[in-house]
Amino acid sequence: MEKYIVNGNHKLTGEANIHGAKNAAVAIIPATLLAQGPCVLENVPPVTDVGVLCDILNILGAKVSWRDKFTLELDTANLNKAVVPADLTNKLRASYYLMGAMLGRFGQATVGLPGGCKIGPRPIDQHLKGFHALGCETEIKSGDVVMTSPGLTGGHVYFDVVSVGATVNVMLAAAGAEGTTVIENAAREPEIIDLANFLNQIGVGVKGAGTGTIRISGAKERDNAVHSIIPDRIEAGTFMIAAAATGGDIRVKGVIPRHLEPVTAKLRETGSQVTEGDDWIQVQGAERGCAVDLKTLPYPGFPTDLQQPMSSYLARCTGTSVVTENIFENRFRYVEELKRMGANIKVEGRVAIIEGVDELEGSVITAHDLRASSALVIAALSASGQSEIRGIEFLNRGYYDFAGKLERLGARIKKD
Ligand code: UD1
């Protein structure tokens, strides 16, 4: 098990360049199954989730290689079997996008159920509801989702819950269907817009991405594409929160400030000064921030992926914060670790009541999921003394060169 040793209580200052969005990359990489001809994806973050997805495609017969550190070349022409075994799909959650992509390409597929972070039940009923609307029958058999159809046709689906995964999956399947599909109550995340831009480039007609209603006109003749992945708003938000938590001053560069509005607004409420330009945001933390209430919501609400890092910061703010997790119910496991550092947090169901303490103390703490790992690093950076953070392999799933970037901002952090 990899671990970090962090010596805390140093203000982080300087600039951090933000990489491409992991959650957009893991949707667009499977989308290349729908292209005809090789595709080039630029600004791809070389995180382990992306690596695992590329390995799966290579095993299935595609040719996927890195042209340079952040540019992927993908040629899926030779991939001719619509079967993905569960021992491959259980390596990551985003492998579920192979369901929609395979279905869009072949009209039928057998794909193992996904793995991923244990942050609460992560059902796929809405994904399947969408596939049914396209004329596909589904059955879950021995850990696989078996999908059959006489040929996909455009349909109409209303999602009962706003789901990023279901929206992406139905867009991918609909891209290869005959006719037009309408998704209502669709997720509006920027990563959905990025996928829509890629699909439009290969000749699929996608309208309305970024709103609650998306229309996808499938295309039988499709093209190839060169596409650049959008910046990772979650990585950017993590560094913004790190600035606030350490009373530092960080400029995150290469971002789309509009994507970070909910984070900017909350940090300002805590007393941080936030300024922004066309493609940067600068956060100057207060000496000690003040408590705020926070509710996670689908975009453009406050992102659940930043609930944990934000709570680490609030643990040291003055006053009482009430944090409500509306998306994933088990996203408070890290609270036990923060308590080891002296945090005063009470969790009741989906709500955490955080009484800010004067000081967190360095401790031995363990991360159990991706975003908990960045939350614990932030807590350690703002704590007095030394912390040992275990479970760092989760961090590498979604952040590239996290410790390196923090070190360049003045953090005392090293891998052990
Ligand atoms: C994606 C993101 C993840 C982020 C989450 C919410 C990727 C690879 N992952 O995860 O980082 O935290 O969005 O912004 O992009 N649900 C159902 N039935 C379904 C599908 C979802 O009930 O069929 C529920 C889930 O249990 C959850 C909510 O809908 O409560 C939102 O989940 P969803 O948006 O689907 O999350 P993911 O796509 O798994």
Side-chain angles (χ1 to χ4, degrees):
M1 211 189 216
E2 288 179 38
K3 55 189 180 193
Y4 281 148
I5 305 296
V6 176
N7 282 291
N9 223 357
H10 295 285
K11 291 180 196 291
L12 301 189
T13 53
E15 295 182 343
N17 286 310
I18 299 307
H19 285 112
K22 180 213 55 114
N23 285 351
V26 297
I28 295 172
I29 290 168
T32 63
L33 259 86
L34 294 153
Q36 272 147 16
C39 291
V40 175
L41 298 182
E42 298 164 345
N43 201 31
V44 180
V47 294
T48 53
D49 268 12
V50 164
V52 171
L53 200 49
C54 293
D55 289 348
I56 294 176
L57 288 184
N58 274 326
I59 292 168
L60 295 176
K63 281 189 214 147
V64 184
S65 58
W66 291 94
R67 188 185 273 185
D68 60 43
K69 201 150 201 159
F70 304 106
T71 308
L72 267 183
E73 280 184 354
L74 305 102
D75 184 351
T76 63
N78 288 337
L79 195 152
N80 46 26
K81 248 175 74 185
V83 177
V84 192
D87 61 341
L88 295 180
T89 56
N90 66 20
K91 292 180 199 291
L92 80 162
R93 177 75 187 163
S95 63
Y96 59 14
Y97 292 147
L98 292 169
M99 295 194 294
M102 287 271 177
L103 200 53
R105 170 141 166 192
F106 297 106
Q108 46 94 23
T110 298
V111 178
L113 285 164
C117 285
K118 306 284 178 280
I119 53 177
R122 297 179 84 172
I124 57 164
D125 57 301
Q126 299 303 305
H127 304 233
L128 302 185
K129 182 179 180 185
F131 296 156
H132 293 163
L134 304 180
C136 169
E137 304 253 321
T138 63
E139 191 186 354
I140 305 212
K141 221 158 107 184
S142 321
D144 289 333
V145 184
V146 182
M147 297 165 282
T148 46
S149 82
L152 294 180
T153 46
H156 190 280
V157 60
Y158 179 92
F159 286 137
D160 305 320
V161 290
V162 178
S163 161
V164 174
T167 303
V168 167
N169 247 335
V170 176
M171 287 169 74
L172 293 171
E178 187 87 46
T180 299
T181 297
V182 180
I183 305 175
E184 308 247 37
N185 203 21
R188 293 186 277 165
E189 268 68 2
E191 293 75 21
I192 305 273
I193 302 177
D194 207 25
L195 171 65
N197 288 339
F198 174 83
L199 291 175
N200 280 327
Q201 274 196 72
I202 64 168
V204 179
V206 185
K207 287 189 182 146
T211 75
T213 305
I214 304 179
R215 287 186 165 72
I216 307 113
S217 299
K220 284 281 164 244
E221 295 295 311
R222 294 182 297 263
D223 213 342
N224 57 353
V226 176
H227 178 84
S228 184
I229 303 286
I230 56 166
D232 196 313
R233 64 196 165 94
I234 305 300
E235 187 199 10
T238 305
F239 281 97
M240 289 167 68
I241 295 167
T246 62
D249 187 353
I250 298 178
R251 179 176 286 204
V252 291
K253 288 172 64 186
V255 299
I256 299 173
R258 196 167 26 91
H259 293 172
L260 285 142
E261 270 167 12
V263 185
T264 298
K266 273 297 150 192
L267 289 180
R268 282 188 176 136
E269 271 182 50
T270 68
S272 295
Q273 276 191 35
V274 188
T275 44
E276 51 188 55
D278 284 348
D279 67 349
W280 56 266
I281 303 179
Q282 185 145 357
V283 178
Q284 207 177 338
E287 211 42 57
R288 192 163 167 210
C290 54
V292 291
D293 291 345
L294 186 83
K295 290 185 166 90
T296 63
L297 287 169
Y299 188 84
F302 193 90
T304 172
D305 286 349
L306 290 173
Q307 177 263 110
Q308 297 145 304
M310 191 71 183
S311 297
S312 287
Y313 165 42
L314 296 176
R316 266 197 62 244
C317 286
T318 52
T320 307
S321 301
V322 178
V323 174
T324 309
E325 174 53 64
N326 288 310
I327 312 289
F328 293 116
E329 61 203 52
N330 286 359
R331 263 202 161 162
F332 283 129
R333 257 182 100 182
Y334 68 99
V335 163
E336 286 309 310
E337 307 302 310
L338 292 185
K339 282 186 186 170
R340 289 171 188 269
M341 304 176 79
N344 183 357
I345 306 178
K346 205 163 124 205
V347 175
E348 285 171 5
R350 289 179 174 270
V351 178
I353 297 151
I354 305 175
E355 300 280 353
V357 294
D358 290 344
E359 197 174 75
L360 293 177
E361 285 166 17
S363 181
V364 177
I365 42 183
T366 306
H368 298 286
D369 66 68
L370 165 57
R371 304 303 170 185
S373 60
S374 57
L376 295 185
V377 172
I378 286 176
L381 289 168
S382 65
S384 62
Q386 191 174 80
S387 295
E388 179 181 312
I389 308 171
R390 299 176 178 176
I392 289 311
E393 58 278 9
F394 286 108
L395 196 69
N396 300 333
R397 287 193 34 212
Y399 294 90
Y400 175 69
D401 190 28
F402 192 58
K405 287 184 186 181
L406 288 172
E407 246 187 320
R408 292 191 283 281
L409 294 166
R412 320 257 155 110
I413 179 167
K414 66 179 172 54
K415 205 183 258 181
D416 194 32

